Every structure is written in structure tokens, then in C-alpha cells.
Amino acid sequence: MMRRVWVPDPGRLRLRAATRAVLGIGLATTASGLAVPTLTGAIAGGLAALLALFTVADPTVRGQAVTTALLPVVGLPVLALAAGLHGHPLGRDAAFLAVVGAGVYARRWGPRGHALGIFAFMMFFMAQFLHAEPGRLPPLIVAVLVGAAVAAAIRFGAWCYERGLRPAPAPAPPPPGRGLDRATTRQAVQATVACAAALAVGQAVSADRWYWAVATVWWIFVNTASCGETLVRGFRRVLGTVTGIAAGLLVAVPLHGAPAPTAALVAVCIFGLFHTAPLSYTYMMFFVTVMAGLLYGLLGVLHPGLLALRLAETGVGALATAVAVVLVLPVTTHATTNAWIQRAVRCVHECTAQAVARLGGAHDADPAGRTGELEALLGKVRLSLAPLLHPLNPLRHRKARARQVLALLDACAHDVAALAALAPAGRTDGAHGAHLADAWRRVEAAVETLTARHTAPVPAPA
């Protein structure tokens, strides 16, 4: 697993994101603490900044700015609702489940819906974490606004390194569907059922810390699209929590909430969280768990029993998730993988057609744009195949097949990129052009054969 963390970082993008996060969250926490001179105000502002920097992932800087501006618009009413229902457990629980369902369903609208759903959920979670009552709502709102504003100033003003980069390809939308055939709708139902079960069992385990079980379910569902992905993510969540608790016993508990060393270690955890999140969910959860322990130390409630309780609630959430994704409207790994592979193969065909058209003299053809779309689709294919490639997968034949499909698609992407690089040169000579046209017709025929029967598994190309 260490190799997954210490992988090449082209353009040092992960390093930049992690360094900017430490700077932005540190300044946001300080500014929030000055605006609302309480520890809870500083924590609320820091969490708002963390979410603003971590969840917003629109492909353009303009889109990121719009989404960041919308975060308080969506999150503050949820925070007010959670605070208003503080003394009404039944209403609070029903509202929490409604926020979960709406937050997952919002993913159908792409990165913006995804970010807004996460922010809304975390505002409700924060109200439970900080025991927000109606009387404490105004300073919390101020802290959230200050934290989000400082994060935006850092991200889009002081250090917007994305402006110097080539625009990222638009994230591939989920496979189409309507009603319960849409994956996001089915996941919204699954997440709501799983959170309801985690909430009930979590409250039986602890009347004060039950929300940990609900948060476990929520974060396991983030960025997953099938049963296999969700189960693997649940395993990694538990593994990261166990290792994080062990580190908390060695680091956070002995500090007894000492401000200076705790703040320094929180900064290290933030850096580690942002640096490892794109690569390893286990490492990300390790840093999140250690950071949570440090924050509880600042609040003066940290002790070994609390860390053990966190592990128990995490187990409750992971178990509830596993049961829900298997029994409630399951989105099978096979169906999800098959859909993404077919879309990737079709994109190979379209990239090839655009490149051949450009080489034939069609100046309006855009093979480079299609190449970016293919990169995004291949990312989705790798994510959907991850459960089959997991070391705990006992199905060796399917694991070998998954590796073969990935290797073939990577080879296709490499060849398509090379062809697109030739395309700007314009028209080719007659013999070469005829050869390319013949090759393109063979690609077209192969793609039609591969995607003709969408209900059958996609065979490996010859």
C-alpha cells in the first residue's frame, strides 16, 4: 500500500493541493476563531473551509467558484434545521435521513450536486458533533461563512494554480437511466436505508455518539457506483479507522489537548488527508481518524474509551452499509463495469473517427477533446473494476479478465492519443490516407461488434 501513496505526482498537483489546504484551513480557523471567539467557532470555520477545498471538483475554475458560492446557500439552512431539532430526537432523525437521501440523489447533477450534497450532510453532522442548540446557531453561521470565505479567497485569489493548467476533462456522467434504473436513485435509497439502520443500532450503542455510525455509511457511499465498490470502500474505511485509532492512542491521548502541538499535528493530518485522498481511501481515513481524536482532545473529552466507541460505531456503519447494498436495490459490479467499458470502447471509436476526419482535411474535427473524454471514462472503468482487482477477491478468473480489459483499454488510449497528436498536421497523402480510412473502418466494425449486445459481457478485443 505504501507504493500507492508514494507514486509520481505530475505537476506536483497533489503537493500543491495539500499545501494550499493547510494554508487555507489554518487561516480560516484563525479568522473564524477571531470572529467567533470560541473553540467551537474555530472548529466550525475550519470544517467549512476543509469541505470547500476538498469537495468542490468542477472541471473549470469558473464552475468551482459557482459551486463554492452555493455551499453556504445549501448548507446553512440544513445547519439551522439541525439546531432547531436539537431537542426533538424523532424529528432530528427523520430530517437527518432526508438530508442523506437528498444528498446522494443530488449526485445525478454531477460534481456540483455531489459537492453540495456532501456539504449539506456535513452541516447536519457538525450540529451533532458540536451539540448545536438554537441559541448557538448565529455564531456558528458566522463561523461557517467566514471559513468558507477565507477558503474561497485562498483558492481563487491568493493561490489559484488551476488557472495555469490545461482544463481538466469533464467528469464522465453516470450511465443513463430513469427512475430506479438510475444508479444515483438506487444509491439514494440504499444510503437512506443503511443510515436508518446505522442510526438505530448506533443509538443503542451510544446515545451521544451515534452520528459516527451514520457518517460511516455516508462516506462509504461517496464516490462509489456498485456493490463491489461500496463493499471494498467499507473494508478500507474500517482498516483506516483501526490504524488511526491506534495512532490516536499513541499521539492524541498523551497530548491531553495541548493547543500548540495539537494544532501542529492537525495541520499534518490535513496535509496527509489531501495528499493521499486521490490514491488511498485507507490512508485518508487514517488521517481523518487521527484528526478527529485530536479535535476531541481540544474539546477535553478524549480518552481511550471514546476511541473504542468510535471503532464500534464505525463497525456498525460498515455492517449496515454492507447489508443495504446487497439486499436493497443492488447495483451490481458487473452491470456498472459493463456500462463504463462499453462507453469507453465507443469513445475509442469516436476519437479515431475525429482524428481520421482531421487528417482527411476536416478542420472542425476535434480529436483532442475526445481524448480528454476518453481519459475521464478510463478513470471510471478503473474505479468500477477496482473490486475485481482487490487482493481479497477470490475469483481469480474474473480478476485476470479485469486486468486484461484494463491493459487493452490502456493500449487503445495510448494509440488514440498518438493518432490525435498526428491529426493537427492536416491532410495526409493519398496512400496513407486510404490506409488510415481502411483502419478506421475496421475499428468501427470492431466497436459495433463489441457494443451490439449491451446486455452481454463485453469480450476482450482480438
Side-chain angles (χ1 to χ4, degrees), residues 125-137:
F125 174 85
M126 185 179 73
Q128 314 311 312
F129 179 78
L130 297 177
H131 301 286
E133 300 175 352
R136 302 174 65 183
L137 182 60

Side-chain angles (χ1 to χ4, degrees), residues 133-152:
E133 300 175 352
R136 302 174 65 183
L137 182 60
L140 284 179
I141 290 177
V142 171
V144 170
L145 289 174
V146 170
V150 172

Side-chain angles (χ1 to χ4, degrees), residues 287-304:
F287 288 112
V288 168
T289 303
V290 175
M291 184 171 63
L294 292 166
L295 293 178
Y296 274 113
L298 283 176
L299 293 171
V301 297
L302 182 64
H303 55 83

